[in-house]
Amino acid sequence: QVQLVESGGGSVQAGGSLRLSCLASGRGLSSWHMAWFRQLPGKGREFVAVVRGTVGATTYADSAKGRFTISRDNAKNTVYLQMNSLKPEDTAVYYCAGRLPFGSSEYQYWGQGTQVTVSS
């Protein structure tokens, strides 16, 4: 059973920074694709960034490019999302998600989410 637990959310003023962490429990997670999604108030969940297993290649949503950095520490089973130059429109619940590097492209495992609030 894989569990994902996010932390690091909070309130920050525009232009500030936060670092989200996602601690994953389970075996063989270094090969997994790990991603961050977010759900803005009143909207559906949207993709933010992904770091692929083994190779470590990353992909970002346009809204995150140049401001957010996703990384992973396989020794700690942790994925991070460093968010800089935050804007009020980044206010959302941020979710960590993981999936196997083969088979379905759907993310099988999700964390409970962590709230990020950016004030102007």
Side-chain angles (χ1 to χ4, degrees), residues 33-118:
H33 296 336
M34 301 298 296
W36 288 94
F37 290 77
R38 68 185 184 184
Q39 187 160 13
L40 280 66
K43 297 188 177 181
R45 196 171 294 182
E46 64 180 34
F47 167 78
V48 176
V50 62
V51 56
R52 293 172 181 80
T54 308
V55 178
T58 58
T59 301
Y60 295 90
D62 287 345
S63 59
K65 287 179 182 177
R67 299 188 301 127
F68 294 2
T69 302
I70 188 171
S71 61
R72 67 194 300 163
D73 185 335
N74 289 330
K76 296 182 178 180
N77 267 5
T78 302
V79 179
Y80 303 98
L81 185 68
Q82 177 67 43
M83 303 187 294
N84 299 326
S85 302
L86 283 162
K87 306 174 182 179
E89 50 264 44
D90 293 318
T91 295
V93 178
Y94 284 73
Y95 296 90
C96 176
R99 69 173 183 89
L100 291 165
F102 52 83
S104 171
S105 61
E106 296 292 322
Y107 283 84
Q108 295 98 343
Y109 298 99
W110 293 83
Q112 81 288 352
T114 185
Q115 176 70 46
V116 171
T117 302
V118 184

